[in-house]
Structures are given as C-alpha cells and as structure tokens.
Amino acid sequence: MRVFKFGGASVSSIDRINQVAQIVRQYEDQPLLIVISAMGKTTNALEKVAESFYAERRDEALQLFDQVKQQHLTTAKYLLVKEYLACEASLVNFFTEVEWLLYDKPVRGYDYYYDQIVCIGELLSTAIMSAFLNEVDVKNTWIDVRDIIRTDDHFRDANIDWDFTQQKVDTLVKPLFAKTGIVVTQGFIGATDENESVTLGREGSDYTAAVFANMLDAESQTIWKDVEGVMNADPKKFPEAQLIAELNYAEVIEMAFYGAQVIHPKTIKPLQNKGIPLLVKCFLDPTLPGTIIHNQSISGLPPIIVVKEHQALIHLKSRDFSFVGEKTVGHLYHLFEELSIKPNLTQNGAISFVCCVDDRPDKIEQLALEASAYFDVSVEKGLRLLTVRHYTPEVLAKLVGSNQVVLQQQSPETAQVLMR
Ligand code: ASP
Ligand code: MG
C-alpha cells in the first residue's frame, strides 16, 4: 500500500493534470490511496467568497464563487469526454451545497462558514481528477473524505477523532482496494459528528495523507511537489539553495517548527509512530530522486535556513520592578494560549520579558491590552527572524550581513537572529 499526496500546484493546469495521470499510471502494481488538494489558488479564492459572505455582500460572494465554478467546469470540459456528464453532475452538486448557504444570512461564527465554503475546493479538484484518471483508463474509486475523517468542531483547525476515523478506514476504505487498486480522496477536510464540514488548517493535505498512511499501514507516503525535494532554504529567496537527499523525522519537525514551509508540521507524527518513510518528489520530473525522510540518524547536514518575515517584538517591562518570575511568565503563557499566539522567540530578564511573534495586529493588540495590567508594553514591527540549523559562525555572519540585530539566541545546533 502506498499513499500519494498531490498539492494544488500539481493539478493547476491541464498539462500538470496529465502529468499526474502519467505518474499514477506507473504505480498501479500496488494498492494506492491518492490525496489531492484544491487546484492552484482555489483555496485562496474560496476564502474571499467566505469573507464576502460573512460581510453580507451576497452579490459579491456569488460572483466570486461563480469564477471558481467556471474555472472547474472549463477544466472538466477540456479534459473529459466519456466521463464529462457524470463529473459535471457531481460538480453541480458541490456548487449547490455552497450556493444554498450563500443565500442565507450568517448567524454563526466566521470559522464555521469558512469551512463550509472552503472545503468545496478539494471536492471539486478530486471529482475532476478521479474522472480524468478513469477517462484515461487508470481505474479508481472516488470517496468523500468527510465520510471517513471525523473531527471535533474546532472549525479551521479541527482535531481528528482517531478511533472513529480508524474504524471508518477499516470498514469503508480498505474494502475499496479490492474493486479498484486506486482510491482518490480529498486532503485538508473532514466532518464533525453533525456532518458539518471542517478544515484541518491551511496546507493540511500533507497531514491527511499521513493520517491515511498511518491507518492503512502504508509502506510509504509520497508528497509530489513542484520542487526537486526538500531544500536547505527557500530557493525563491536563496538561489543557491541545495537539495537535501535524506532527513530524519526529528529534523523535519524542527524545520517546520521554525517556520520552514516544507511540510505541514502535523504530518510527521502519524508517520513516525509507524516508521513509515516520507518521500518528497518532483512531479515535473519523477525520475529525480527527491528527499527521503525516515528514522535514521543523519550527520553532515548543510546549514538549514528559515526566514520569517513580518515579525513583531513585544517588549514587556514590569511596572513596579517586581521580578518576572514563574507566576508572571505563567500568566503570559496563559494569555498566549487564550489568544492562540505562538511565540517564535522569547527572552526573559529580571524585570522584562520579550517575545517575537507573527504580526497579527488584532492578537497583539489584545495581548498588549491584557498584559498592560502588569507591564509597560511596547511593540516594534516590521522585523525579520532568521533561523539557521547546523550553522557555522561564517554562515551566520554572512546571512546577517549589515542588518541591525535586535535579539539573538543560539544553541550548539540552532541560531536565531531577529533583525531590523
Ligand atoms: N487547499 C488547502 C490549502 O491551500 C490545503 C492544502 O493545499 O494542503 O491550504
Ligand atoms: Mg497546497
């Protein structure tokens, strides 16, 4: 059993969809579960629909949604002949699911509506992809993952009910492989026990694939991307970025923790728990070896560079000169949790505490307000956080260059520098 995940970029054009079919065709020798994301930038487009709807701009929402509809219908028309009518009927069903809602007035929280609207992207892309694979004789079965992945109702960041989902995988998914060796389903989405749609957090399809890999005891999971594999830096910012052929789970978790946009951070645990290797490969050239991520210990890694832009440094200074002890810091972390703020870097002094966070003005304002009971609060924005794993002093100095350093921390393995 293998599990493949194709991201939005791999199904963003007719050429690429053809390319995906070519790849899948080469792996028909074994049962294969394929998890697919929404096409191209569909999720972003659907986010706009949700925003307009929630702001009660119905016409705008409908108009934006119409663009998504037309794009998918055009793609389906272009790709399909025999399978067109059946596929169109499924697409129309999903359109109706959303349109129904768009004619209502919002009475619940934004995140709920977001999930009901945004989840459609994956349903549309997989309906088309599955039909196209059948059209070119790569026989497969399409399933609605909302019948399988059961979650709580933490909309936009739902948590999977592991036992329930495993039972559905055993009873509903496993038997399908006897019918067609290939099963196609959606990443990123699931459903609550009340059949409300949920999403698992942006870029969550990697995670969905890992959940299936775990529950199906797959021999491997492959994430197909438009890059060669995992690189030691973002090639868009660092043209000299190099491929890392082999990594282990722990290193990838660290990279994701520091903000590298390689793989969704939740992906690793389900794989690590069953020792399932993760392959990252390039769908543009499947002959390239890509990256393998597994349990081995690996030495000689190059410096791994992660840059986070749009950082804010919050400076908290004790008003009455009382020390910043466990109690105050505990209180602060409680606030972080309440506001879902994840500090990217913190430093504790005698009467001050500084923390660097992603610049989310609403959250920072709220934090500043609540903390001002104990502290003088000041915030500096527009900063950049550089993290280098396996750094050398030379590499670090070169990366910092002439930038002004605001805060710096290092362990033997990891250096972090916040710069102006
Ligand atoms: N389509 C979703 C997103 O763009 C999920 C994913 O791509 O993994 O965030
Ligand atoms: Mg994606």
Side-chain angles (χ1 to χ4, degrees):
M1 172 78 65
R2 296 188 182 101
V3 174
F4 280 2
K5 180 259 178 172
F6 289 99
S10 58
V11 287
S12 62
S13 69
I14 302 290
D15 275 356
R16 291 186 168 191
I17 291 172
N18 266 300
Q19 181 73 18
V20 168
Q22 302 270 344
I23 292 173
V24 171
R25 199 190 284 286
Q26 286 163 25
Y27 290 90
E28 278 187 292
D29 60 315
Q30 265 198 47
L32 172 65
L33 180 104
I34 306 177
V35 169
I36 306 176
S37 305
M39 289 175 172
K41 300 272 173 248
T42 305
T43 304
N44 293 356
L46 290 167
E47 283 185 336
K48 295 255 156 29
V49 175
E51 280 162 26
S52 301
F53 164 76
Y54 206 69
E56 301 196 38
R57 296 193 299 266
R58 179 193 291 162
D59 290 345
E60 184 182 277
L62 285 166
Q63 195 195 335
L64 289 168
F65 188 59
D66 198 54
Q67 292 173 13
V68 173
K69 281 169 59 175
Q70 294 315 323
Q71 257 165 23
H72 286 85
L73 286 169
T74 309
T75 306
K77 246 182 225 149
Y78 201 92
L79 286 167
L80 307 170
V81 181
K82 286 179 285 176
E83 302 287 334
Y84 181 73
L85 283 179
C87 179
E88 187 199 28
S90 337
L91 297 181
V92 169
N93 270 338
F94 298 132
F95 296 157
T96 312
E97 216 177 286
V98 172
E99 274 162 344
W100 244 54
L101 181 148
L102 294 182
Y103 279 101
D104 268 350
K105 267 197 183 309
V107 289
R108 298 178 59 169
Y110 175 67
D111 291 353
Y112 164 78
Y113 291 107
Y114 175 103
D115 281 1
Q116 310 318 301
I117 294 168
V118 166
C119 75
I120 242 66
E122 268 65 15
L123 292 159
L124 301 175
S125 69
T126 52
I128 294 175
M129 199 62 223
S130 165
F132 180 62
L133 289 172
N134 278 323
E135 177 98 21
V136 297
D137 251 355
V138 180
K139 293 295 175 220
N140 71 93
T141 309
W142 177 93
I143 48 172
D144 188 331
V145 84
R146 295 174 300 178
D147 296 333
I148 313 294
I149 298 214
R150 163 69 60 85
T151 69
D152 63 9
D153 62 359
H154 198 303
F155 295 106
R156 289 185 74 178
D157 190 19
N159 301 295
I160 293 178
D161 176 338
W162 209 262
D163 293 337
F164 188 93
T165 303
Q166 176 77 65
Q167 194 213 326
K168 291 287 174 194
V169 167
D170 291 340
T171 54
L172 298 179
V173 182
K174 283 182 181 166
L176 295 176
F177 293 100
K179 207 169 98 202
T180 58
I182 299 175
V183 172
V184 173
T185 197
Q186 306 80 41
F188 175 57
I189 69 175
T192 68
D193 57 359
E194 297 192 18
N195 272 326
E196 298 159 320
S197 301
V198 297
T199 63
L200 307 174
R202 288 298 308 259
E203 303 303 328
S205 297
D206 294 348
Y207 176 47
T208 305
V211 170
F212 277 112
N214 176 299
M215 294 187 177
L216 291 165
D217 291 299
E219 63 159 54
S220 64
Q221 171 179 340
T222 307
I223 296 182
W224 294 91
K225 287 173 91 81
D226 56 359
V227 291
E228 245 182 282
V230 178
M231 315 288 281
N232 74 324
D234 181 352
K236 285 182 211 119
K237 287 184 190 142
F238 298 91
E240 66 282 12
Q242 56 186 105
L243 175 78
I244 311 175
E246 194 181 2
L247 281 166
N248 60 27
Y249 300 127
E251 186 63 40
V252 174
I253 287 268
E254 295 285 346
M255 288 170 74
F257 174 79
Y258 290 114
Q261 275 166 357
V262 272
I263 288 153
H264 191 281
K266 283 184 179 169
T267 311
I268 297 300
K269 183 175 155 48
L271 299 176
Q272 188 275 346
N273 289 178
K274 288 214 171 154
I276 300 167
L278 174 62
L279 311 166
V280 180
K281 283 179 68 79
C282 181
F283 63 79
L284 299 167
D285 185 356
T287 61
L288 293 175
T291 299
I292 177 161
I293 299 157
H294 48 185
N295 232 347
Q296 258 77 301
S297 75
I298 289 156
S299 57
L301 284 173
I304 296 176
I305 304 162
V306 183
V307 177
K308 278 193 130 203
E309 308 282 353
H310 310 297
Q311 298 296 296
L313 186 70
I314 308 175
H315 206 114
L316 304 151
K317 196 157 164 268
S318 159
R319 275 251 174 77
D320 60 355
F321 256 59
S322 40
F323 290 120
V324 179
E326 296 77 24
K327 210 163 153 203
T328 5
V329 176
H331 182 71
L332 273 172
Y333 271 88
H334 197 73
L335 276 179
F336 291 154
E337 198 202 333
E338 234 168 63
L339 300 168
S340 320
I341 291 179
K342 195 182 134 297
N344 296 322
L345 185 64
T346 61
Q347 201 155 292
N348 203 351
I351 54 166
S352 71
F353 182 88
V354 289
C355 65
C356 165
V357 299
D358 294 344
D359 187 3
R360 285 278 310 267
D362 51 330
K363 294 189 176 188
I364 293 175
E365 228 166 81
Q366 190 69 28
L367 179 76
L369 192 72
E370 305 224 8
S372 64
Y374 309 85
F375 297 99
D376 279 326
V377 184
S378 62
V379 181
E380 180 177 356
K381 296 196 173 199
L383 303 172
R384 169 190 298 159
L385 179 61
L386 167 73
T387 303
V388 189
R389 303 258 309 148
H390 319 291
Y391 66 96
T392 63
E394 297 75 36
V395 167
L396 198 60
K398 190 165 163 237
L399 287 166
V400 173
S402 58
N403 290 299
Q404 220 179 332
V405 175
V406 183
L407 190 63
Q408 180 158 356
Q409 255 175 36
Q410 55 205 62
S411 72
E413 217 143 57
T414 308
Q416 289 196 286
V417 186
L418 186 65
M419 304 183 293
R420 230 172 237 129

